Amino acid sequence: MITVSNKNLSPTVIKAETSIPVYDETGKNLRKVNNSYYGKLEANPYTPNPLLSSYVFNRGKFNYTIVNKSFEYDFAETNRIIDTESIVAAVFRKKKMGILKNEPILKSNNQKNLDYIKKRLSEMEYVSGISFSDFLDAIAECLVNYNNVFLLKHRNEISSSGLTHEGVRPLASLFVLSPTRLSPLTNELGEVIAYSYKSLNKQQPAKIFDKKDVYHLYTDKKIDLTVGTPPLEAVKDDILSLRQIEESLERLVYKNSSPLLHVKVGTDKQPAGRLADGTPEVEYYNDLVQNMDDDGGLTTSHRVDIKMLGAESQALRLDLPLAYFKARVLSGLKASLLDIGEADSISTAGAEAVSKVLKEDIQSYQKILEKFFTKKVFNDILLEAKWYKDSVTIPSEEEVQFKLL
């Protein structure tokens, strides 16, 4: 039974002073956390701070701590970059369209299993209120944007035709969880045992989901990290440099958009003097220029020379570093100028070669989704069928294959 301490926890002695069991209706609003290491736990809904950094619970003679921490990467920052960077948004949009450009194909050597999977998918659509197509769109978006997808398993024997398997209720539907609202709960060894999911209004207590109730699909995951590395981590600095150069270029354009008028009065033989009323010629022509209409002009004698001065190719050329950092960003995103519609002159063969990297990246995402649905989701659903009630695995020749073309 989890107990909550609002006091600072000692690094050597972790002690809970009070514990409140969860036996009323309020406790039903929070999910139970089943820890395979330490036994059955119950979340305490009476905590004054729903986002506590630590939970303390007792097991026999020992005290353990579940730590609520953040992921190694900031997924909210990824969202901000996608919203403000047109290059990133265009490339990601192209990848998502490429992944699901065709309807997925389900096939199997076992027609009975194939019909069963189609039936269960229809049930999930009804229970969740989300079509399978929209469900795949959300998965593809998370996979492309974050390299991570979190799916909540909603289990309910009443809303599913599946059977309870090994004491676990059948899967009724799946829901895509936003990584920006999710945070891992780890044990003292740093292993993820559950997830905390914050509410949108941040006024309701965070919901706790057992790790067993969440599918975590990822790619590019480093050892000892809890999530895959988002694709924008490698190009964030390049994007910042690119934007700084563009700002410098913008300031240069503003600075030189209005040319400087240089008026030279007098010559070596006839230098500037005074007019008949005693006004200096330099001041006279300066007043004329200052008070001249935007579409006006000046008529002068040969002794007055007017020139329009601008950058005259003497300013720093920013097109080369601009192109360099844009190429770095596109390279990190596995795309090219052609993929964002900026290639002016390129042959058909060259276009195919340039887009090959993007196509390969899309194909790698498709393979990840195919393996995930075939080996995880569909096999878990098949184990809930009555003809597999005594099985622990599905033979490979009887699996239902999920294909994206």
Side-chain angles (χ1 to χ4, degrees):
M1 182 165 51
I2 292 181
T3 57
V4 179
S5 174
N6 291 327
K7 298 182 178 181
N8 294 329
L9 301 179
S10 170
T12 56
V13 179
I14 301 176
K15 203 169 185 181
E17 298 183 358
T18 60
S19 61
I20 303 175
V22 180
Y23 295 127
D24 59 358
E25 293 297 326
T26 307
K28 294 181 180 180
N29 295 329
L30 291 178
R31 298 183 61 85
K32 295 181 180 179
V33 180
N34 296 318
N35 188 334
S36 59
Y37 293 99
Y38 310 123
K40 186 177 179 182
L41 312 177
E42 288 183 322
N44 188 345
Y46 293 95
T47 170
N49 181 4
L51 302 179
L52 278 178
S53 61
S54 298
Y55 300 93
V56 184
F57 59 96
N58 302 318
R59 282 294 172 268
K61 299 179 181 179
F62 302 96
N63 291 332
Y64 300 99
T65 302
I66 300 179
V67 180
N68 185 357
K69 65 177 186 179
S70 300
F71 289 120
E72 293 84 355
Y73 302 103
D74 186 1
F75 295 119
E77 183 182 26
T78 298
N79 281 350
R80 289 191 294 268
I81 295 176
I82 296 174
D83 291 340
T84 57
E85 296 297 328
S86 59
I87 294 178
V88 175
V91 173
F92 280 8
R93 190 183 308 112
K94 201 174 186 74
K95 288 184 180 181
K96 285 178 280 189
M97 292 173 60
I99 293 173
L100 301 174
K101 63 180 179 181
N102 297 315
E103 289 292 328
I105 298 175
L106 304 183
K107 62 179 183 179
S108 176
N109 296 327
N110 189 318
Q111 186 62 38
K112 185 178 181 180
N113 286 354
L114 180 60
D115 294 338
Y116 180 75
I117 289 295
K118 290 181 178 179
K119 174 187 175 184
R120 292 293 300 276
L121 291 179
S122 298
E123 293 176 357
M124 290 182 178
E125 286 182 329
Y126 177 78
V127 173
S128 64
I130 303 173
S131 67
F132 189 62
S133 177
D134 292 340
F135 176 67
L136 290 179
D137 287 340
I139 291 179
E141 181 177 358
C142 287
L143 189 60
V144 171
N145 292 357
Y146 315 113
N147 276 351
N148 291 273
V149 182
F150 295 92
L151 302 177
L152 175 63
K153 307 174 190 177
H154 172 58
R155 297 186 179 277
N156 192 323
E157 62 275 8
I158 299 178
S159 304
S160 173
S161 61
L163 303 177
T164 298
H165 185 263
E166 295 185 345
V168 181
R169 293 185 300 173
L171 195 64
S173 60
L174 292 172
F175 296 93
V176 180
L177 299 177
S178 171
T180 59
R181 296 165 55 191
L182 207 63
S183 58
L185 298 176
T186 61
N187 57 20
E188 291 178 327
L189 300 177
E191 300 166 330
V192 176
I193 60 175
Y195 295 96
S196 174
Y197 198 58
K198 294 180 290 187
S199 62
L200 282 175
N201 56 18
K202 298 182 180 180
Q203 295 178 357
Q204 300 297 323
K207 294 185 178 180
I208 307 299
F209 300 132
D210 186 359
K211 182 182 179 181
K212 296 177 183 178
D213 292 331
V214 177
Y215 282 126
H216 181 197
L217 174 62
Y218 56 81
T219 182
D220 194 17
K221 182 177 178 293
K222 308 297 190 299
I223 297 177
D224 290 335
L225 297 185
T226 59
V227 292
T229 304
L232 292 182
E233 285 297 313
V235 297
K236 286 196 297 186
D237 291 340
D238 295 325
I239 292 175
L240 179 61
S241 298
L242 178 62
R243 288 295 164 252
Q244 289 175 341
I245 294 174
E246 288 180 338
E247 289 176 4
S248 299
L249 181 60
E250 184 179 7
R251 287 194 296 267
L252 187 63
V253 170
Y254 278 120
K255 182 179 179 180
N256 295 280
S257 60
S258 298
L260 176 65
L261 289 178
H262 179 232
V263 181
K264 183 173 68 174
V265 181
T267 62
D268 292 339
K269 295 181 178 181
Q270 295 178 324
R274 291 181 177 271
L275 300 177
D277 60 356
T279 304
E281 283 187 287
V282 173
E283 293 184 7
Y284 173 76
Y285 284 105
N286 181 66
D287 292 339
L288 288 179
V289 172
Q290 294 292 336
N291 298 319
M292 183 177 61
D293 294 334
D294 293 337
D295 56 350
L298 294 177
T299 302
T300 66
S301 66
H302 69 284
R303 293 178 59 254
V304 179
D305 184 18
I306 300 177
K307 290 184 178 180
M308 185 178 295
L309 303 180
E312 296 180 338
S313 301
Q314 297 178 10
L316 176 65
R317 293 189 60 184
L318 298 178
D319 54 336
L320 295 180
L322 196 64
Y324 170 74
F325 279 103
K326 179 181 287 188
R328 280 183 59 93
V329 171
L330 290 172
S331 176
L333 297 176
K334 299 180 181 179
S336 65
L337 288 174
L338 178 67
D339 298 317
I340 60 175
E342 291 190 12
D344 295 330
S345 59
I346 188 170
S347 63
T348 303
E352 293 178 355
V354 169
S355 296
K356 184 178 180 181
V357 176
L358 181 63
K359 292 179 180 178
E360 291 176 347
D361 194 37
I362 291 175
Q363 290 172 355
S364 68
Y365 282 128
Q366 290 177 327
K367 290 180 180 179
I368 292 172
L369 290 175
E370 290 174 351
K371 183 179 179 180
F372 170 69
F373 276 97
T374 300
K375 297 294 185 180
K376 295 294 295 180
V377 179
F378 288 173
N379 280 1
D380 287 351
I381 293 176
L382 286 175
L383 288 174
E384 298 170 358
K386 60 183 179 181
W387 51 91
Y388 287 120
K389 63 179 180 179
D390 296 326
S391 303
V392 293
T393 59
I394 304 298
S396 58
E397 63 273 10
E398 298 179 12
E399 291 179 340
V400 176
Q401 302 290 328
F402 179 85
K403 293 294 182 182
L404 292 171
L405 302 177

